[in-house]
Amino acid sequence: MKRQARGGSRGRRSRRRPDDDELNNEVMEIRRVAKVVKGGKNLSFRVLMVVGDGKGQVGLGKGNTREIPRAIQQGIRDAKRRMIHVPLKEGTIPHQIIGRYKAARVLLRPAFPGTGIIAGNTVGLLCRLAGVQDILTKSLGSTNPITLAKATLEGFKGLRTVEQVARLRDKTQQEILHVEA
């Protein structure tokens, strides 16, 4: 008796992922790490990778192996698995937000067209690969690249467009944008 192949979506939500040729990836950090064992130290490399399509999709991944190229491949695979969507509005983000992760806080503020990406290395790399063209940022708290990157991603996850807010509140976009004086 022949067994049927298993697989399929198994009830998981399907979402469109960009093809590999659409994605850009960059190394955020390469660090040599050591694990102390009975016979001495086991040295390996930890690589932080950022993957993005420049159209609102970005992901952060970590690879940890003894060779740098394998760690990079592992980091890219991890980043593709953890991609999130960033809502963009005319090249910037829809509203100001503070992303928080452990001791790191990152202030993300929309900017006028032509401002560019005003950010440090870690936050700037995530913004560029996400497709944000104009943004003002400020790192508050930790300077650790991993926690800064995760705080930035938490900020991106908290962004909402006017359409999303209107849908959540069962109102029209005009009611959301209308401010009484």
Side-chain angles (χ1 to χ4, degrees):
M1 188 166 130
K2 197 173 182 182
R3 288 175 57 155
Q4 280 192 327
R6 294 177 63 174
S9 66
R10 295 187 190 178
R12 278 182 255 143
R13 183 172 57 114
S14 68
R15 60 181 177 202
R16 185 195 158 324
R17 286 211 169 138
D19 297 329
D20 289 348
D21 54 339
E22 292 177 17
L23 295 175
N24 298 320
N25 55 50
E26 285 195 37
V27 176
M28 182 180 285
E29 178 191 51
I30 298 178
R31 187 170 283 185
R32 193 181 79 171
V33 293
K35 177 183 176 185
V36 179
V37 293
K38 185 177 169 184
K41 293 179 182 176
N42 279 348
L43 296 177
S44 61
F45 294 93
R46 184 190 71 206
V47 178
L48 278 182
M49 294 296 298
V50 180
V51 173
D53 66 353
K55 301 172 196 161
Q57 298 280 345
V58 69
L60 175 73
K62 186 173 74 169
N64 196 348
T65 60
R66 288 184 174 208
E67 296 108 31
I68 293 175
R70 282 183 48 206
I72 288 173
Q73 289 304 314
Q74 200 177 68
I76 291 171
R77 213 172 29 248
D78 191 34
K80 285 179 185 175
R81 214 175 290 137
R82 299 168 187 262
M83 287 189 81
I84 64 164
H85 176 72
V86 180
L88 299 175
K89 178 185 163 192
E90 298 167 14
T92 189
I93 56 177
H95 57 86
Q96 178 176 317
I97 193 165
I98 296 178
R100 293 177 178 87
Y101 181 80
K102 293 189 178 180
R105 294 193 336 264
V106 176
L107 170 68
L108 303 169
R109 181 178 274 175
F112 288 104
T115 304
I117 298 173
I118 310 298
N121 290 342
T122 304
V123 180
L125 182 60
L126 280 162
C127 291
R128 194 169 65 250
L129 287 178
V132 180
Q133 295 162 353
D134 304 299
I135 191 168
L136 302 168
T137 68
K138 179 67 182 154
S139 166
L140 310 164
S142 175
T143 58
N144 180 335
I146 295 178
T147 54
L148 269 181
K150 288 189 176 184
T152 305
L153 289 175
E154 287 300 315
F156 284 159
K157 286 179 192 174
L159 292 172
R160 302 279 179 262
T161 61
V162 176
E163 296 86 29
Q164 290 171 325
V165 173
R167 204 172 326 117
L168 284 171
R169 298 183 188 176
D170 290 328
K171 294 186 176 189
T172 64
Q173 291 180 32
Q174 287 75 26
E175 288 176 311
I176 299 295
L177 293 174
H178 179 69
V179 180
E180 290 186 30

